[in-house]
Amino acid sequence: MQPKSNIIHLPVYKPGKSTDEVKKEFGLEKIIKLASNENPYGFSEKVKQALMSEFENTNIYPDGASTKLTDKLSEFYNVPSDQLIFGAGSDEVILMIARAFLVKGDETIMATHTFPQYKHNAEIEGAVCIEVPLKDGTHDLDEMLAKITNRTKIIWVCCPNNPTGTINSHDEVKAFLEQVPNHVLVVFDEAYAEYNEQNEYPDSLSLMKQFKNLVVLRTFSKIYGLASLRIGYGIAHPEIIHTINQVREPFNTTRYAQSAALAAIEDQEFIKDCREKNKLGLAYLKGQFERLGLSSYPAYGNFVMVDVQKPAELVFQGLLQKGIIIRGGHQLGFPTSLRVTIGSQEQNEEFINVLESVLNEIND
Ligand SMILES: *Cc1c(COP(=O)(O)O)cnc(C)c1O
């Protein structure tokens, strides 16, 4: 058997160690996982009720078109319902976009280092990935523009960027979109949009009215706390949504995911509360990093990348042995940095205590 030649080099996704594995390996009772930017406050109470009442419909296929959820989000964002598409996480929307738009030999532009799924899915379709290094941890939009050719199909922009947490301002993104040719799709991945309340954060939905080649990606996995249910969505011009729908599997999101997302949207109090707590958590971490003499990138999501000035792998291992799971920058292109999710105050304090002792041990 001969697989597609363009996938032979692709690694199989290797998840980080689970909480249970770490407990067992190091004989620990308590683990703090700050590795996947999950919501430390769980999810809305309303979601629990929605999931329980959906339970009895388990034998019935879901509504493939996610009609109720589409109507809800259409009202919530004030966008027509034909401008929305749902996926099993925004990961699947990325996959569908690559599948719908890219063929062998097409070019697609992305930052390095950024969310790996853009490159991964583009390579599966045989597209040529043009990678543009970050500038000070931020997308270098000018350089990305400079790389556009008549073969360019998609440009991926991650805002805030995972793993650095940085953003490009509204004005920068607008100026960028003004220069991208109409035939090039711009995918604007905003998995952490709801954490933002800064004025300079791009108002992507208003930009979409002007730029018909813009696709915005959002998800219920992060602030909404539904990561395990796998549901995310894209917002774009109806023609783009139609094209993506042509490659969508008929029942790509589950009943549970749709009902939970519907209930989650209705509880904006919970979201506001999470956003507030995240802001306090970030301020705490920033203060502690400063006390420890560590620099970090400006953070606009629920995670922060901090330069610990020591080999990330050593620090990662040191933290792991003491029950704290983070993402080591050695796996993300940042050999002396860590990407850490902003947890609850208790988790953040524990992380800082352990980090301080691990850094001291490495000094010895
Ligand atoms: C977490 C994340 C996603 C995907 O989340 P899903 O769980 O697939 O919705 C997409 N983009 C970025 C940048 C992320 O951090």
mmCIF file of all heavy atoms in Angstrom, residues 17-19 22-23 28-36 38 40 319-320 322-327 340-352 354:
data_model
loop_
_atom_site.group_PDB
_atom_site.id
_atom_site.type_symbol
_atom_site.label_atom_id
_atom_site.label_comp_id
_atom_site.label_asym_id
_atom_site.label_seq_id
_atom_site.Cartn_x
_atom_site.Cartn_y
_atom_site.Cartn_z
ATOM 1 N N LYS A 17 1.334 14.280 28.096
ATOM 2 C CA LYS A 17 0.947 13.252 29.075
ATOM 3 C C LYS A 17 -0.355 13.655 29.755
ATOM 4 O O LYS A 17 -0.565 14.813 30.076
ATOM 5 C CB LYS A 17 2.044 13.130 30.137
ATOM 6 C CG LYS A 17 3.284 12.423 29.634
ATOM 7 C CD LYS A 17 4.103 11.916 30.823
ATOM 8 C CE LYS A 17 5.247 11.051 30.353
ATOM 9 N NZ LYS A 17 6.477 11.815 30.108
ATOM 10 N N SER A 18 -1.212 12.672 29.972
ATOM 11 C CA SER A 18 -2.467 12.966 30.657
ATOM 12 C C SER A 18 -2.191 13.092 32.152
ATOM 13 O O SER A 18 -1.168 12.649 32.662
ATOM 14 C CB SER A 18 -3.471 11.845 30.415
ATOM 15 O OG SER A 18 -3.112 10.716 31.177
ATOM 16 N N THR A 19 -3.156 13.706 32.822
ATOM 17 C CA THR A 19 -3.060 13.872 34.269
ATOM 18 C C THR A 19 -2.830 12.518 34.952
ATOM 19 O O THR A 19 -1.983 12.398 35.833
ATOM 20 C CB THR A 19 -4.367 14.509 34.765
ATOM 21 O OG1 THR A 19 -4.576 15.692 33.997
ATOM 22 C CG2 THR A 19 -4.317 14.895 36.211
ATOM 23 N N VAL A 22 0.769 11.166 34.478
ATOM 24 C CA VAL A 22 1.753 11.888 35.293
ATOM 25 C C VAL A 22 1.646 11.478 36.757
ATOM 26 O O VAL A 22 2.648 11.256 37.436
ATOM 27 C CB VAL A 22 1.584 13.421 35.122
ATOM 28 C CG1 VAL A 22 2.533 14.180 36.038
ATOM 29 C CG2 VAL A 22 1.820 13.829 33.674
ATOM 30 N N LYS A 23 0.419 11.318 37.229
ATOM 31 C CA LYS A 23 0.201 10.867 38.620
ATOM 32 C C LYS A 23 0.921 9.554 38.863
ATOM 33 O O LYS A 23 1.625 9.365 39.856
ATOM 34 C CB LYS A 23 -1.300 10.649 38.874
ATOM 35 C CG LYS A 23 -2.023 11.876 39.347
ATOM 36 C CD LYS A 23 -3.450 11.486 39.754
ATOM 37 C CE LYS A 23 -4.288 12.725 39.977
ATOM 38 N NZ LYS A 23 -5.714 12.464 39.977
ATOM 39 N N LEU A 28 2.270 10.949 42.238
ATOM 40 C CA LEU A 28 1.701 12.192 42.764
ATOM 41 C C LEU A 28 0.201 12.042 42.977
ATOM 42 O O LEU A 28 -0.448 11.240 42.319
ATOM 43 C CB LEU A 28 1.955 13.328 41.770
ATOM 44 C CG LEU A 28 3.416 13.692 41.498
ATOM 45 C CD1 LEU A 28 3.525 14.499 40.219
ATOM 46 C CD2 LEU A 28 4.012 14.451 42.665
ATOM 47 N N GLU A 29 -0.326 12.818 43.907
ATOM 48 C CA GLU A 29 -1.767 12.789 44.164
ATOM 49 C C GLU A 29 -2.503 13.859 43.381
ATOM 50 O O GLU A 29 -3.603 13.655 42.892
ATOM 51 C CB GLU A 29 -2.029 13.040 45.649
ATOM 52 C CG GLU A 29 -1.312 12.073 46.567
ATOM 53 C CD GLU A 29 -2.275 11.417 47.511
ATOM 54 O OE1 GLU A 29 -2.973 12.159 48.225
ATOM 55 O OE2 GLU A 29 -2.333 10.162 47.519
ATOM 56 N N LYS A 30 -1.865 15.016 43.308
ATOM 57 C CA LYS A 30 -2.543 16.166 42.700
ATOM 58 C C LYS A 30 -1.734 16.674 41.512
ATOM 59 O O LYS A 30 -0.514 16.795 41.598
ATOM 60 C CB LYS A 30 -2.690 17.282 43.742
ATOM 61 C CG LYS A 30 -3.710 18.324 43.355
ATOM 62 C CD LYS A 30 -3.782 19.456 44.369
ATOM 63 C CE LYS A 30 -2.845 20.587 43.932
ATOM 64 N NZ LYS A 30 -2.586 21.577 44.964
ATOM 65 N N ILE A 31 -2.428 16.936 40.417
ATOM 66 C CA ILE A 31 -1.763 17.467 39.223
ATOM 67 C C ILE A 31 -2.442 18.774 38.840
ATOM 68 O O ILE A 31 -3.668 18.891 38.918
ATOM 69 C CB ILE A 31 -1.921 16.489 38.028
ATOM 70 C CG1 ILE A 31 -1.363 15.105 38.358
ATOM 71 C CG2 ILE A 31 -1.301 17.062 36.757
ATOM 72 C CD1 ILE A 31 0.125 15.037 38.452
ATOM 73 N N ILE A 32 -1.638 19.721 38.424
ATOM 74 C CA ILE A 32 -2.202 20.953 37.869
ATOM 75 C C ILE A 32 -1.832 20.998 36.396
ATOM 76 O O ILE A 32 -0.652 21.005 36.050
ATOM 77 C CB ILE A 32 -1.663 22.192 38.618
ATOM 78 C CG1 ILE A 32 -2.150 22.163 40.064
ATOM 79 C CG2 ILE A 32 -2.104 23.474 37.912
ATOM 80 C CD1 ILE A 32 -1.658 23.316 40.917
ATOM 81 N N LYS A 33 -2.853 20.968 35.536
ATOM 82 C CA LYS A 33 -2.583 20.955 34.099
ATOM 83 C C LYS A 33 -2.858 22.334 33.512
ATOM 84 O O LYS A 33 -3.991 22.796 33.488
ATOM 85 C CB LYS A 33 -3.456 19.889 33.414
ATOM 86 C CG LYS A 33 -3.186 19.758 31.927
ATOM 87 C CD LYS A 33 -3.811 18.477 31.367
ATOM 88 C CE LYS A 33 -3.701 18.408 29.865
ATOM 89 N NZ LYS A 33 -4.875 18.961 29.173
ATOM 90 N N LEU A 34 -1.785 22.966 33.089
ATOM 91 C CA LEU A 34 -1.884 24.291 32.478
ATOM 92 C C LEU A 34 -1.242 24.225 31.095
ATOM 93 O O LEU A 34 -0.440 25.068 30.711
ATOM 94 C CB LEU A 34 -1.169 25.330 33.368
ATOM 95 C CG LEU A 34 -1.731 25.485 34.795
ATOM 96 C CD1 LEU A 34 -0.845 26.394 35.639
ATOM 97 C CD2 LEU A 34 -3.163 26.022 34.774
ATOM 98 N N ALA A 35 -1.619 23.170 30.355
ATOM 99 C CA ALA A 35 -0.925 22.877 29.103
ATOM 100 C C ALA A 35 -1.774 23.081 27.856
ATOM 101 O O ALA A 35 -1.232 23.172 26.760
ATOM 102 C CB ALA A 35 -0.418 21.438 29.127
ATOM 103 N N SER A 36 -3.082 23.121 27.967
ATOM 104 C CA SER A 36 -3.913 23.107 26.756
ATOM 105 C C SER A 36 -4.889 24.267 26.674
ATOM 106 O O SER A 36 -5.834 24.218 25.888
ATOM 107 C CB SER A 36 -4.677 21.787 26.663
ATOM 108 O OG SER A 36 -3.768 20.712 26.724
ATOM 109 N N GLU A 38 -7.254 25.153 28.495
ATOM 110 C CA GLU A 38 -8.633 24.840 28.858
ATOM 111 C C GLU A 38 -9.117 25.824 29.906
ATOM 112 O O GLU A 38 -8.309 26.486 30.558
ATOM 113 C CB GLU A 38 -8.692 23.400 29.406
ATOM 114 C CG GLU A 38 -8.424 22.360 28.327
ATOM 115 C CD GLU A 38 -7.657 21.135 28.802
ATOM 116 O OE1 GLU A 38 -6.998 21.204 29.851
ATOM 117 O OE2 GLU A 38 -7.705 20.110 28.110
ATOM 118 N N PRO A 40 -10.137 26.891 33.355
ATOM 119 C CA PRO A 40 -9.984 26.337 34.704
ATOM 120 C C PRO A 40 -11.274 26.406 35.519
ATOM 121 O O PRO A 40 -11.369 25.785 36.576
ATOM 122 C CB PRO A 40 -8.897 27.221 35.329
ATOM 123 C CG PRO A 40 -8.961 28.507 34.583
ATOM 124 C CD PRO A 40 -9.399 28.163 33.178
ATOM 125 N N LEU A 319 9.078 20.704 36.343
ATOM 126 C CA LEU A 319 7.702 21.025 36.737
ATOM 127 C C LEU A 319 6.842 19.761 36.742
ATOM 128 O O LEU A 319 6.044 19.537 37.657
ATOM 129 C CB LEU A 319 7.098 22.051 35.769
ATOM 130 C CG LEU A 319 7.628 23.489 35.849
ATOM 131 C CD1 LEU A 319 7.174 24.294 34.628
ATOM 132 C CD2 LEU A 319 7.158 24.178 37.119
ATOM 133 N N LEU A 320 7.042 18.933 35.724
ATOM 134 C CA LEU A 320 6.249 17.713 35.576
ATOM 135 C C LEU A 320 6.421 16.801 36.792
ATOM 136 O O LEU A 320 5.448 16.285 37.353
ATOM 137 C CB LEU A 320 6.703 16.977 34.306
ATOM 138 C CG LEU A 320 5.821 15.844 33.803
ATOM 139 C CD1 LEU A 320 4.472 16.396 33.337
ATOM 140 C CD2 LEU A 320 6.500 15.103 32.643
ATOM 141 N N LYS A 322 6.968 17.572 39.671
ATOM 142 C CA LYS A 322 6.300 18.138 40.843
ATOM 143 C C LYS A 322 4.814 18.357 40.575
ATOM 144 O O LYS A 322 4.132 19.074 41.313
ATOM 145 C CB LYS A 322 6.982 19.441 41.235
ATOM 146 C CG LYS A 322 8.427 19.222 41.698
ATOM 147 C CD LYS A 322 9.010 20.538 42.192
ATOM 148 C CE LYS A 322 10.185 20.320 43.124
ATOM 149 N NZ LYS A 322 11.455 20.166 42.428
ATOM 150 N N GLY A 323 4.312 17.752 39.500
ATOM 151 C CA GLY A 323 2.856 17.740 39.286
ATOM 152 C C GLY A 323 2.291 18.910 38.517
ATOM 153 O O GLY A 323 1.088 19.144 38.551
ATOM 154 N N ILE A 324 3.145 19.649 37.815
ATOM 155 C CA ILE A 324 2.612 20.763 37.020
ATOM 156 C C ILE A 324 2.895 20.510 35.544
ATOM 157 O O ILE A 324 4.047 20.323 35.145
ATOM 158 C CB ILE A 324 3.257 22.099 37.435
ATOM 159 C CG1 ILE A 324 3.062 22.284 38.938
ATOM 160 C CG2 ILE A 324 2.705 23.244 36.577
ATOM 161 C CD1 ILE A 324 2.503 23.567 39.390
ATOM 162 N N ILE A 325 1.838 20.455 34.752
ATOM 163 C CA ILE A 325 2.011 20.218 33.313
ATOM 164 C C ILE A 325 1.811 21.531 32.559
ATOM 165 O O ILE A 325 0.761 22.171 32.681
ATOM 166 C CB ILE A 325 1.002 19.170 32.770
ATOM 167 C CG1 ILE A 325 0.882 17.965 33.726
ATOM 168 C CG2 ILE A 325 1.413 18.706 31.380
ATOM 169 C CD1 ILE A 325 -0.107 16.902 33.248
ATOM 170 N N ILE A 326 2.824 21.929 31.816
ATOM 171 C CA ILE A 326 2.719 23.106 30.940
ATOM 172 C C ILE A 326 3.211 22.672 29.555
ATOM 173 O O ILE A 326 3.521 21.505 29.348
ATOM 174 C CB ILE A 326 3.549 24.300 31.472
ATOM 175 C CG1 ILE A 326 4.972 23.882 31.840
ATOM 176 C CG2 ILE A 326 2.899 24.908 32.701
ATOM 177 C CD1 ILE A 326 5.965 23.956 30.779
ATOM 178 N N ARG A 327 3.258 23.573 28.596
ATOM 179 C CA ARG A 327 3.880 23.249 27.313
ATOM 180 C C ARG A 327 5.287 23.822 27.288
ATOM 181 O O ARG A 327 5.481 25.018 27.508
ATOM 182 C CB ARG A 327 3.084 23.855 26.136
ATOM 183 C CG ARG A 327 1.840 23.085 25.752
ATOM 184 C CD ARG A 327 2.067 21.640 25.348
ATOM 185 N NE ARG A 327 2.919 21.464 24.178
ATOM 186 C CZ ARG A 327 2.495 21.416 22.928
ATOM 187 N NH1 ARG A 327 1.211 21.533 22.660
ATOM 188 N NH2 ARG A 327 3.332 21.251 21.931
ATOM 189 N N VAL A 340 2.231 28.734 29.257
ATOM 190 C CA VAL A 340 1.439 28.291 30.402
ATOM 191 C C VAL A 340 0.039 28.891 30.328
ATOM 192 O O VAL A 340 -0.138 30.066 30.016
ATOM 193 C CB VAL A 340 2.153 28.654 31.735
ATOM 194 C CG1 VAL A 340 2.400 30.147 31.861
ATOM 195 C CG2 VAL A 340 1.345 28.160 32.938
ATOM 196 N N THR A 341 -0.949 28.035 30.585
ATOM 197 C CA THR A 341 -2.335 28.497 30.640
ATOM 198 C C THR A 341 -2.531 29.279 31.928
ATOM 199 O O THR A 341 -2.010 28.895 32.977
ATOM 200 C CB THR A 341 -3.295 27.287 30.635
ATOM 201 O OG1 THR A 341 -3.019 26.505 29.483
ATOM 202 C CG2 THR A 341 -4.749 27.719 30.633
ATOM 203 N N ILE A 342 -3.279 30.361 31.855
ATOM 204 C CA ILE A 342 -3.619 31.118 33.059
ATOM 205 C C ILE A 342 -4.693 30.316 33.798
ATOM 206 O O ILE A 342 -5.788 30.109 33.269
ATOM 207 C CB ILE A 342 -4.131 32.524 32.698
ATOM 208 C CG1 ILE A 342 -3.046 33.293 31.913
ATOM 209 C CG2 ILE A 342 -4.559 33.281 33.957
ATOM 210 C CD1 ILE A 342 -3.555 34.549 31.202
ATOM 211 N N GLY A 343 -4.349 29.822 34.979
ATOM 212 C CA GLY A 343 -5.275 28.968 35.723
ATOM 213 C C GLY A 343 -6.068 29.762 36.740
ATOM 214 O O GLY A 343 -6.157 30.995 36.665
ATOM 215 N N SER A 344 -6.637 29.049 37.718
ATOM 216 C CA SER A 344 -7.277 29.718 38.848
ATOM 217 C C SER A 344 -6.168 30.327 39.706
ATOM 218 O O SER A 344 -4.993 29.968 39.566
ATOM 219 C CB SER A 344 -8.078 28.701 39.664
ATOM 220 O OG SER A 344 -7.172 27.756 40.230
ATOM 221 N N GLN A 345 -6.528 31.218 40.605
ATOM 222 C CA GLN A 345 -5.501 31.863 41.440
ATOM 223 C C GLN A 345 -4.678 30.824 42.189
ATOM 224 O O GLN A 345 -3.450 30.910 42.251
ATOM 225 C CB GLN A 345 -6.173 32.849 42.412
ATOM 226 C CG GLN A 345 -5.199 33.657 43.262
ATOM 227 C CD GLN A 345 -4.231 34.519 42.440
ATOM 228 O OE1 GLN A 345 -4.496 34.837 41.261
ATOM 229 N NE2 GLN A 345 -3.095 34.865 43.026
ATOM 230 N N GLU A 346 -5.355 29.801 42.711
ATOM 231 C CA GLU A 346 -4.653 28.753 43.460
ATOM 232 C C GLU A 346 -3.651 28.022 42.549
ATOM 233 O O GLU A 346 -2.516 27.772 42.932
ATOM 234 C CB GLU A 346 -5.710 27.773 43.993
ATOM 235 C CG GLU A 346 -5.178 26.794 44.995
ATOM 236 C CD GLU A 346 -6.193 25.673 45.257
ATOM 237 O OE1 GLU A 346 -7.397 25.863 44.976
ATOM 238 O OE2 GLU A 346 -5.761 24.606 45.724
ATOM 239 N N GLN A 347 -4.089 27.703 41.337
ATOM 240 C CA GLN A 347 -3.198 27.017 40.389
ATOM 241 C C GLN A 347 -2.021 27.911 39.995
ATOM 242 O O GLN A 347 -0.876 27.455 39.917
ATOM 243 C CB GLN A 347 -3.976 26.628 39.123
ATOM 244 C CG GLN A 347 -5.021 25.548 39.347
ATOM 245 C CD GLN A 347 -5.861 25.303 38.097
ATOM 246 O OE1 GLN A 347 -6.200 26.247 37.362
ATOM 247 N NE2 GLN A 347 -6.210 24.052 37.855
ATOM 248 N N ASN A 348 -2.311 29.187 39.779
ATOM 249 C CA ASN A 348 -1.246 30.111 39.383
ATOM 250 C C ASN A 348 -0.196 30.234 40.484
ATOM 251 O O ASN A 348 1.005 30.253 40.215
ATOM 252 C CB ASN A 348 -1.826 31.495 39.067
ATOM 253 C CG ASN A 348 -2.737 31.472 37.850
ATOM 254 O OD1 ASN A 348 -2.626 30.593 36.999
ATOM 255 N ND2 ASN A 348 -3.644 32.439 37.767
ATOM 256 N N GLU A 349 -0.667 30.312 41.728
ATOM 257 C CA GLU A 349 0.273 30.453 42.844
ATOM 258 C C GLU A 349 1.140 29.211 42.979
ATOM 259 O O GLU A 349 2.350 29.302 43.161
ATOM 260 C CB GLU A 349 -0.497 30.723 44.158
ATOM 261 C CG GLU A 349 -0.995 32.158 44.221
ATOM 262 C CD GLU A 349 -1.892 32.438 45.421
ATOM 263 O OE1 GLU A 349 -1.935 31.613 46.365
ATOM 264 O OE2 GLU A 349 -2.567 33.492 45.398
ATOM 265 N N GLU A 350 0.498 28.059 42.850
ATOM 266 C CA GLU A 350 1.240 26.799 42.931
ATOM 267 C C GLU A 350 2.273 26.717 41.800
ATOM 268 O O GLU A 350 3.423 26.330 42.013
ATOM 269 C CB GLU A 350 0.240 25.636 42.841
ATOM 270 C CG GLU A 350 0.858 24.246 42.908
ATOM 271 C CD GLU A 350 1.217 23.815 44.323
ATOM 272 O OE1 GLU A 350 0.835 24.521 45.280
ATOM 273 O OE2 GLU A 350 1.908 22.781 44.457
ATOM 274 N N PHE A 351 1.849 27.110 40.603
ATOM 275 C CA PHE A 351 2.762 27.099 39.458
ATOM 276 C C PHE A 351 3.966 27.993 39.731
ATOM 277 O O PHE A 351 5.118 27.586 39.516
ATOM 278 C CB PHE A 351 2.019 27.563 38.187
ATOM 279 C CG PHE A 351 2.930 27.989 37.070
ATOM 280 C CD1 PHE A 351 3.730 27.057 36.407
ATOM 281 C CD2 PHE A 351 3.007 29.324 36.690
ATOM 282 C CE1 PHE A 351 4.589 27.455 35.384
ATOM 283 C CE2 PHE A 351 3.855 29.732 35.669
ATOM 284 C CZ PHE A 351 4.656 28.790 35.020
ATOM 285 N N ILE A 352 3.733 29.192 40.229
ATOM 286 C CA ILE A 352 4.849 30.115 40.477
ATOM 287 C C ILE A 352 5.779 29.556 41.559
ATOM 288 O O ILE A 352 7.008 29.586 41.402
ATOM 289 C CB ILE A 352 4.307 31.520 40.866
ATOM 290 C CG1 ILE A 352 3.656 32.188 39.651
ATOM 291 C CG2 ILE A 352 5.421 32.408 41.438
ATOM 292 C CD1 ILE A 352 4.585 32.567 38.507
ATOM 293 N N VAL A 354 6.340 26.443 42.389
ATOM 294 C CA VAL A 354 7.103 25.312 41.867
ATOM 295 C C VAL A 354 8.107 25.790 40.813
ATOM 296 O O VAL A 354 9.254 25.345 40.790
ATOM 297 C CB VAL A 354 6.158 24.217 41.309
ATOM 298 C CG1 VAL A 354 6.943 23.085 40.692
ATOM 299 C CG2 VAL A 354 5.242 23.693 42.403
#
